[in-house]
Amino acid sequence: MDKPRLGHINFINCLPLDWGLTEGGLGAGLEIRPAVPATLNSLMVSGELDVSPVSSIVYAQNPDKLLILPNLSISAPGALQSIVVVAKRPLADLGGRPVALTAKSATSHGLLKIILGKAYGVEPEYSVSSLSLADGVLDGADAALFIGDDALFAYHNRRSGLLYYDLGDEWRKLTGGAMVYALWVADRGFAARRPDLLQLAYDKVRDGFRYGLTHLEAAAAARAGATPLTAEQVVRYIGLLDYRLDEARRQALTNYYRLAADRGLIPAVPTLAFAAVKP
């Protein structure tokens, strides 16, 4: 193995890293596999990737297989526009009603179930759907959960008669804290066998974010035509996100795991085990 296999989220929320890997030249020496979060989750758990971002809940489901890379995450202190519920009725009225969950992620499923159960006291009938609003997902459901670029498009192109809820804001109102949506993780076996390649991948991701955030306006202008947002909207959206995993966000992550465990969404609250890389 000469190159570490790196998963890469192909949503706007990872534009800074994407720009660093491509325009900043930091993708050299990596085998990069872009995909939606749900696909990366599966590839990481099946051992087909060495390092990747995964939905936060995936780490809690596989703590014996994965190690967290330090100070990297996709987090937000509040509303973030890219995890959105579009509903035909208020959230408080969704008890027993059909709710469609996006097929592209996993953490957001638990987030919505916790919010509806604890904040609104309702238990809908959940199902997973890959349909969009344009495809008619609300023809068979009273509400639908979207993430990533699909959510951004829905948030910025609202339809009359529908209700829009930002789950980042709903989480902040429920817990008073931030939400950690994704983590970068390494396969434990890979970390043990090739610590040199693990350090290489970590350095590339860390420096890729630094490069992309430094050149964010240029990145947004160049990629705006390929996204549902204008360049200005991309810059404002990235400004809502936080890519660190400091002590405050580690506590927020543990709080999410605690609430998820209370609902039986994960077996137990895992210990946060970090890969031995030089930050």
Side-chain angles (χ1 to χ4, degrees):
M1 179 190 299
D2 297 324
K3 295 182 178 180
R5 301 169 297 177
L6 176 72
H8 180 50
I9 297 174
N10 55 5
F11 286 165
I12 298 172
N13 59 12
C14 280
L15 174 62
L17 176 59
D18 190 72
W19 194 252
L21 294 175
T22 55
E23 302 304 317
L26 290 156
L30 302 173
E31 182 181 326
I32 300 173
R33 299 187 182 182
V36 301
T39 299
L40 296 179
N41 293 343
S42 297
L43 292 175
M44 195 69 212
V45 172
S46 65
E48 296 174 70
L49 291 172
D50 302 314
V51 173
S52 181
V54 296
S55 301
S56 296
I57 202 165
V58 170
Y59 173 76
Q61 294 165 337
N62 301 275
D64 296 335
K65 181 175 179 58
L66 305 175
L67 291 168
I68 301 171
L69 296 188
N71 207 27
L72 290 172
S73 77
I74 299 176
S75 305
L80 75 162
Q81 304 176 1
S82 61
I83 299 184
V84 169
V85 171
V86 182
K88 295 190 288 190
R89 62 180 71 229
L91 296 184
D93 295 341
L94 288 176
R97 308 298 302 177
V99 171
L101 304 174
T102 174
K104 295 182 178 180
S105 181
T107 292
S108 59
H109 295 184
L111 187 68
L112 178 60
K113 291 173 182 176
I114 292 169
I115 289 171
L116 291 184
K118 287 191 68 69
Y120 292 93
V122 296
E123 300 294 340
E125 294 291 333
Y126 295 105
S127 62
V128 177
S129 172
S130 59
L131 297 178
S132 67
L133 279 175
D135 294 330
V137 65
L138 288 182
D139 292 346
D142 282 15
L145 170 66
F146 301 100
I147 70 159
D149 295 4
D150 295 338
L152 286 167
F153 182 81
Y155 185 88
H156 288 279
N157 296 275
R158 299 190 180 201
R159 296 184 181 182
S160 176
L162 296 177
L163 302 172
Y164 293 77
Y165 297 91
D166 188 309
L167 288 199
D169 190 44
E170 293 291 327
W171 182 258
R172 180 193 58 77
K173 289 189 288 188
L174 175 64
T175 68
M179 177 64 197
V180 179
Y181 297 95
L183 302 166
W184 268 257
V185 299
D187 180 88
R188 282 181 180 263
F190 166 74
R193 291 190 305 273
R194 295 302 305 265
D196 56 330
L197 292 185
L198 172 62
Q199 184 69 53
L200 172 71
Y202 178 71
D203 291 347
K204 297 277 189 178
V205 173
R206 179 200 60 203
D207 294 347
F209 268 118
R210 289 176 179 169
Y211 183 93
L213 289 170
T214 302
H215 299 81
L216 181 57
E217 291 190 358
R223 299 289 172 79
T227 77
L229 305 182
T230 66
E232 292 76 16
Q233 288 172 326
V234 169
V235 171
R236 283 199 297 273
Y237 166 61
I238 296 295
L240 299 174
L241 302 175
D242 192 329
Y243 298 108
R244 298 172 297 169
L245 186 60
D246 58 10
E247 178 58 30
R249 282 146 199 85
R250 289 196 292 270
Q251 291 181 9
L253 179 63
T254 300
N255 187 40
Y256 170 66
Y257 288 154
R258 187 176 300 113
L259 293 172
D262 288 345
R263 287 187 59 85
L265 300 174
I266 56 175
V269 179
T271 299
L272 303 185
F274 289 85
V277 292
K278 298 176 183 177

